[in-house]
Amino acid sequence: MDLQEIREALKAMYGGENKPITDGNYDQSLAVKCVNGTFVGKKKENIIIFRGIPYVGKQPVGELRWKAPVDVTPDDGVYEAYFNAKSAIGNPDFEVGSIDGARRVRHSSG
């Protein structure tokens, strides 16, 4: 896998945001019902992939920091599960996909 293929794979996983499906137009064979909603994945080859399904009720930030987890709120909504959740910000000079873990500096063209 070359660097361009790695970038394309990462864009497919992280290049968007899961949105509610409000019109009822989705393939039910790609859906899974959870306490916190119904999530619709994408099929690739013979595998259904679900990404970005929330696993906590509320994020542990602000007043919830260092507290016990908050239970998931039941939800009857239908949501895409196409993209991974947002990740913590990392070093912008680190090139993802480095085989040896070495740090690569990006060069600007301007």
Side-chain angles (χ1 to χ4, degrees):
M1 184 178 271
D2 68 15
L3 188 56
Q4 184 61 33
E5 290 173 320
I6 292 169
R7 285 186 175 139
E8 289 173 12
L10 289 171
K11 185 175 182 183
M13 291 188 304
Y14 294 99
E17 184 175 333
N18 293 322
K19 296 180 170 70
I21 299 173
T22 57
D23 61 4
N25 187 18
Y26 65 93
D27 185 343
Q28 292 188 3
S29 71
L30 301 178
V32 61
K33 173 78 173 142
C34 300
V35 173
N36 55 337
T38 297
F39 296 91
V40 181
K42 283 188 174 181
K43 191 169 189 176
K44 185 173 182 177
E45 298 173 12
N46 288 327
I47 299 170
I48 301 172
I49 301 167
F50 299 91
R51 294 189 169 117
I53 297 177
Y55 60 92
V56 296
K58 292 186 179 181
Q59 297 296 319
V61 296
E63 292 191 21
L64 296 177
R65 185 92 168 146
W66 310 115
K67 305 279 187 201
V70 176
D71 287 337
V72 171
T73 304
D75 187 345
D76 291 329
V78 179
Y79 304 92
E80 297 173 345
Y82 305 155
F83 303 103
N84 288 333
K86 294 179 183 176
S87 298
I89 296 173
N91 183 343
D93 291 332
F94 185 77
E95 184 71 38
V96 176
S98 172
I99 294 172
D100 60 2
R103 186 171 180 251
R104 296 183 186 174
V105 178
R106 295 184 188 152
H107 299 284
S108 64
S109 60

